[in-house]
Amino acid sequence: MNATNSAQAWARSKSIRQATGLSSTQLMRYADEGLIRTSHVKRPGQTRGIRFFHLGDLHQLISAGIQTPATIQTKKSSHHH
């Protein structure tokens, strides 16, 4: 994996929020539940750093919730009976 691909595997919450609408609070919940990996990058001696979220994990989480059109249609039709 080259540096470009490696850098694209991680993103900060702001760019994820802009792309998906997920808040940083929700991202941290997913991380706390072990659904997505995070990396907290900071310099030695600093208490604050930068939090990155693993995009591959986020992609898997979103993909796991995909419903096929047939599934959605079945749910809609069951409400009319």
Side-chain angles (χ1 to χ4, degrees), residues 2-11 53-56:
N2 65 33
T4 304
N5 288 342
S6 179
Q8 291 172 345
W10 298 89
F53 296 88
H54 192 265
L55 293 175

Side-chain angles (χ1 to χ4, degrees), residues 14-57:
K14 183 177 180 180
S15 60
I16 294 172
R17 185 175 66 245
Q18 290 170 343
T20 66
L22 290 170
S23 68
S24 55
T25 303
Q26 188 62 55
L27 290 169
M28 285 307 298
R29 273 196 207 115
Y30 291 143
D32 290 343
E33 293 169 11
L35 297 171
I36 56 177
R37 287 173 285 173
T38 70
S39 175
H40 190 230
V41 179
K42 60 182 180 177
R43 291 191 174 130
Q46 284 188 323
T47 54
R48 294 191 59 153
I50 300 171
R51 174 79 54 189
F52 291 92
F53 296 88
H54 192 265
L55 293 175
D57 292 348

Side-chain angles (χ1 to χ4, degrees), residues 55-76:
L55 293 175
D57 292 348
L58 185 62
H59 179 73
Q60 281 186 313
L61 181 66
I62 293 170
S63 295
I66 291 175
Q67 296 180 314
T68 63
T71 305
I72 295 168
Q73 189 61 41
T74 303
K75 287 183 177 180
K76 283 182 182 176

